[in-house]
Amino acid sequence: MPASPATETELNCFGCAPNNPIGLHMSFEPDGEGFVTSVKLGPDYESFPGIVHGGIIATILDELLAQAVYRLGRVSAFTTGLRIRYGRPMETDTEHVAHARITAQDSVSVRASGRIELPTGDLVAAADGTFCRITDDVLDSYGERFPGDLARILRAANGAIPQRG
């Protein structure tokens, strides 16, 4: 979910909420045709000593691609597919750079790709994702399937999409 407009959903987002005590605290900056973030995680996110868990790597990539879709695709969306390829272990206490961009889109879905690298450019992991756009039409058709106030929150988020800077 967005990092800009204050909504109930961003307050505890594991990927991007700045105040989630166990979250990743990711923030995103425009980078050419996409977005970039820096990631440096400690031992709380390990699988083996000194190595970030593969599921956390998947979460980083999913959040990164979702933010690119949200910010560049200009609409809320949810992940319908995520393909990840791991290149090398992601070490804890090491700065990593992650990039994402949109690769295709239509009125229903958006595709994005991204990668996590060491500052040297060595590949840690790459992902391709497909996201379903949550447009007002989708909310009108399926909004009752969303729990609680989620449809209202998504409508508000769609109206407050951050401008590409």
Side-chain angles (χ1 to χ4, degrees), residues 10-165:
E10 80 166 316
L11 298 177
N12 205 39
C13 176
F14 181 75
C16 67
N19 297 320
N20 183 328
I22 62 168
L24 300 175
H25 307 142
M26 296 170 67
S27 61
F28 306 89
E29 297 295 326
D31 179 46
E33 296 293 313
F35 280 84
V36 65
T37 188
S38 295
V39 180
K40 183 177 180 180
L41 299 175
D44 289 340
Y45 303 97
E46 287 180 339
S47 55
F48 294 101
I51 303 300
V52 175
H53 190 284
I56 298 297
I57 295 169
T59 300
I60 292 166
L61 288 163
D62 186 44
E63 180 71 19
L64 175 69
L65 299 181
Q67 287 289 334
V69 167
Y70 180 73
R71 293 162 185 265
L72 296 171
R74 313 229 5 105
V75 68
S76 295
F78 61 87
T79 309
T80 59
L82 185 65
R83 180 174 174 251
I84 300 170
R85 294 161 313 282
Y86 297 91
R88 62 177 291 149
M90 183 174 180
E91 297 176 43
T92 57
D93 298 317
T94 301
E95 191 75 29
H96 294 82
V97 180
H99 306 268
R101 65 183 178 87
I102 290 178
T103 57
Q105 58 185 315
D106 58 34
S107 62
V108 176
S109 65
V110 181
R111 294 180 145 270
S113 66
R115 53 194 293 125
I116 301 171
E117 303 171 339
L118 287 165
T120 61
D122 290 339
L123 177 69
V124 171
D128 295 301
T130 304
F131 297 80
C132 177
R133 292 174 178 266
I134 306 174
T135 62
D136 285 344
D137 288 342
V138 169
L139 291 169
D140 289 342
S141 298
Y142 300 105
E144 68 279 354
R145 294 183 187 174
F146 291 106
D149 289 334
L150 185 56
R152 180 187 55 78
I153 292 165
L154 290 168
R155 284 183 201 280
N158 284 346
I161 295 171
Q163 296 297 310
R164 182 167 162 77

